[in-house]
Amino acid sequence: REQMLGMPVANINVLPPAELKEAMQAVQGHQGRTFSFQHRLADGTIRDVEVSSRLIQFGSGRVLNSTIQDVTARNRAEESLTRALARYQTLLDTASDGIYVINQDGDLLEASGSFYRMLGYSPRDPQLRNAMDWSTQNSAEEVRALVAQLLESPKVFETQHRCRDGHVIDVELNARGISIEDRPYLYLSS
């Protein structure tokens, strides 16, 4: 505590002095500002921090009051999530099989680019929303019943899909139930 009292912020913040001065001046005339910085700890470790600063009246003068929150773990978690999503998207986009995930009502939640292309759609085409958009052999009730059955026991079977232009293709489906965030979904590859 004694070491911190009276220590210039430049000894903690790793910004070059000119940038630090500019950030501090940005608070002038505002109700307050929030910044993302890196701070150096006493042991030399660098941590990511969010600093909320505002000018307050203190005695006969105004001082810069700052609240500092260490966000290093949050930033690392966000970076890790971004990398995982990029890996997931790369795998989905480069899969040669038509891979898709539907919910119990047959609503399309996720699909590989090859699934869309197989049916004549551009990837992420909003017109392809439900299994009824490509199913040729089942009514909506039959689709829900089939999904419920497949959620209980995986199965490989042959069926047909309707393409965007109306022609029908034969496909072999590998279907199995999965759970995401404690909700049942059907994973299919064709």
Side-chain angles (χ1 to χ4, degrees):
R1 173 173 151 70
E2 295 303 318
Q3 184 181 5
M4 290 291 293
L5 292 175
M7 179 185 288
V9 72
N11 290 5
I12 300 168
N13 195 303
V14 299
L15 278 179
E19 289 181 43
L20 180 57
K21 183 177 180 181
E22 183 179 315
M24 292 173 68
Q25 288 174 340
V27 178
Q28 304 288 334
H30 291 87
Q31 291 293 336
R33 298 278 305 266
T34 300
F35 303 92
S36 292
F37 293 125
Q38 288 189 314
H39 279 182
R40 182 179 302 105
L41 302 181
D43 67 1
T45 305
I46 304 295
R47 305 294 288 181
D48 297 335
V49 296
E50 271 185 3
V51 180
S52 297
S53 297
R54 64 187 181 111
L55 289 173
I56 62 168
Q57 193 68 35
F58 187 75
S60 61
R62 295 180 60 148
V63 296
L64 185 62
N65 180 26
S66 296
T67 303
I68 302 168
Q69 180 179 2
D70 186 334
V71 294
T72 305
R74 180 183 77 191
N75 288 353
R76 299 302 173 266
E78 288 172 358
E79 291 166 4
S80 179
L81 179 59
T82 299
R83 285 191 305 275
L85 287 173
R87 281 191 309 271
Y88 164 78
Q89 197 60 53
T90 298
L91 290 172
L92 202 58
D93 289 344
T94 58
S96 57
D97 285 350
I99 296 171
Y100 57 104
V101 177
I102 59 175
N103 67 12
Q104 291 174 301
D105 294 323
D107 296 327
L108 182 65
L109 300 172
E110 192 68 65
S112 64
S114 54
F115 175 72
Y116 285 96
R117 286 187 298 278
M118 174 177 68
L119 298 179
Y121 292 87
S122 60
R124 316 281 180 265
D125 190 318
Q127 292 180 351
L128 203 59
R129 294 186 303 267
N130 186 280
M132 291 305 300
D133 296 333
W134 63 86
S135 177
T136 62
Q137 301 174 339
N138 302 308
S139 67
E141 294 78 28
E142 290 171 325
V143 166
R144 280 192 287 278
L146 180 60
V147 168
Q149 176 189 351
L150 294 170
L151 285 170
E152 294 302 317
S153 59
K155 185 176 179 182
V156 176
F157 60 100
E158 292 182 5
T159 188
Q160 294 181 318
H161 286 344
R162 183 183 320 100
C163 296
R164 183 179 190 154
D165 64 7
H167 86 274
V168 175
I169 59 172
D170 294 324
V171 295
E172 179 181 85
L173 285 181
N174 183 341
R176 74 176 49 253
I178 60 174
S179 178
I180 300 172
E181 296 175 355
D182 296 325
R183 299 175 84 180
Y185 295 99
L186 191 61
Y187 168 91
L188 301 108
S189 65
S190 53

